[in-house]
Amino acid sequence: MSRKLRILIIEDEAAIRTGLVDVFVYHGYEVDFSDHGVEGLTKALTGKFDLILLDVMLPGMNGFEVCNRIREKNRDLAIIMLTAKSNDEDIIEGLSLGADDYVAKPFSVAQLVLRVQAVLRRTRNGAAQNTLMQLGDELSIDCQNLAGRRGLQALSFTRREIEILQYLHRHSNRPVPREELLGKVWGYANHLAIETRTVDIHIAKLRRKIESDPAEPQFLITVRGAGYRLLGQKP
C-alpha cells in the first residue's frame, strides 16, 4: 500500500489555513500546518514533506526567506507560493528563489487542488534523467545532480529548471509554445486556462544562469509568436 502524500501548509490567516487543511485532508493527503515562518521552516526541513504551500506574509520570517532557506538545503521539494493577487514583485521574487509555482489570492480552491496535483505528479514522475547536457563549448549541465558549469563558474539548478531544459532539449528541432511547457513540464491540463507568468519567469531565471548575456541569449531563445527553443546542443 503506497503512503499518503504529505503537504505542509504555512499560512498565518486562520480561516484560510483551516480551510486548506480540510480540503487537502478530504482529498486524501496527510497534512501538517504552521502559522509562523520560523516554525514552518523547521517543519519543512525535518518533516519529509512532498509539497509546501507557502504564504508570503508570515510572522517571524516571511515566505521568501523560508523558500530561500528550503532551497539551500533541498532543491527537489515542491513549493507553491500563495501571493497577493496584484503584486507582481511577490510573484517574480518567489519564483526567482526557486518556488515551482504561485497561486494568487483570492484563489479557487478547486484550481489550487488541481495545481497541487499537477506539481506532485511531475515531482514524482518527472525526476531528472541521468544526462549530461552540453551547450556550446563552455556550458555543461549535469541533470542528475542539478548542477552545471559555464566556463569556470559553477551553476546550480532547481528540479523544475532542469525539467524545462530537458524538455526543450528533447524538442530542440522546433519552438515549444508556452502552453506546451505548462502542460508537459508543470502538468497543467489545457482546459484549466491558467493565468500564470511562471514559465516566463523561469525562462528569465534560466537565462541569467546559462547565458553570458541574458539580454542577447545564444542558447535559450524566444521565437516570436511560437515559443522557446534551445540551441547549441553538442553530442
Side-chain angles (χ1 to χ4, degrees), residues 135-137 139 210-211 217-221 229-232:
L135 300 176
D137 294 325
L139 179 61
I210 70 173
E211 302 284 359
Q218 301 177 50
F219 304 121
L220 185 47
I221 68 166
R229 191 172 179 187
L230 192 66
L231 304 178

Side-chain angles (χ1 to χ4, degrees), residues 56-201:
V56 169
M57 300 301 295
L58 293 167
M61 180 184 295
N62 67 43
F64 300 133
E65 183 63 20
V66 173
C67 181
N68 189 43
R69 296 282 190 91
I70 292 172
R71 281 292 175 251
E72 288 176 351
K73 302 290 185 181
N74 187 334
R75 284 177 284 164
D76 284 329
L77 178 59
I79 300 172
I80 296 178
M81 298 199 76
L82 307 177
T83 73
K85 183 171 184 178
S86 60
N87 196 337
D88 280 357
E89 291 182 1
D90 282 1
I91 294 166
I92 293 169
E93 183 167 358
L95 294 177
S96 296
L97 290 170
D100 292 278
D101 201 0
Y102 69 90
V103 174
K105 295 180 180 181
F107 50 78
S108 158
V109 171
Q111 187 175 102
L112 176 61
V113 170
L114 290 173
R115 291 172 78 160
V116 165
Q117 291 171 342
V119 169
L120 285 171
R121 186 164 55 248
R122 295 299 305 178
T123 301
R124 292 170 63 79
N125 298 333
Q129 303 168 21
N130 187 10
T131 302
L132 181 65
M133 192 182 301
Q134 184 76 34
L135 300 176
D137 294 325
E138 295 194 339
L139 179 61
S140 61
I141 300 169
D142 181 349
C143 298
Q144 178 68 22
N145 293 309
L146 308 180
R149 186 166 293 277
R150 180 163 57 84
L152 299 176
Q153 180 184 0
L155 304 172
S156 64
F157 299 90
T158 65
R159 171 185 42 79
R160 179 72 71 212
E161 290 168 343
I162 290 294
E163 289 175 346
I164 294 168
L165 289 172
Q166 287 183 313
Y167 191 82
L168 292 173
H169 186 271
R170 290 196 299 271
H171 300 276
S172 59
N173 61 318
R174 63 178 176 86
V176 176
R178 176 178 173 277
E179 293 74 17
E180 184 176 336
L181 286 172
L182 277 174
K184 299 299 185 180
V185 175
W186 274 263
Y188 294 154
N190 292 334
H191 70 273
L192 289 181
I194 290 172
E195 294 183 10
T196 176
R197 294 176 56 199
T198 188
V199 172
D200 314 294
I201 295 170

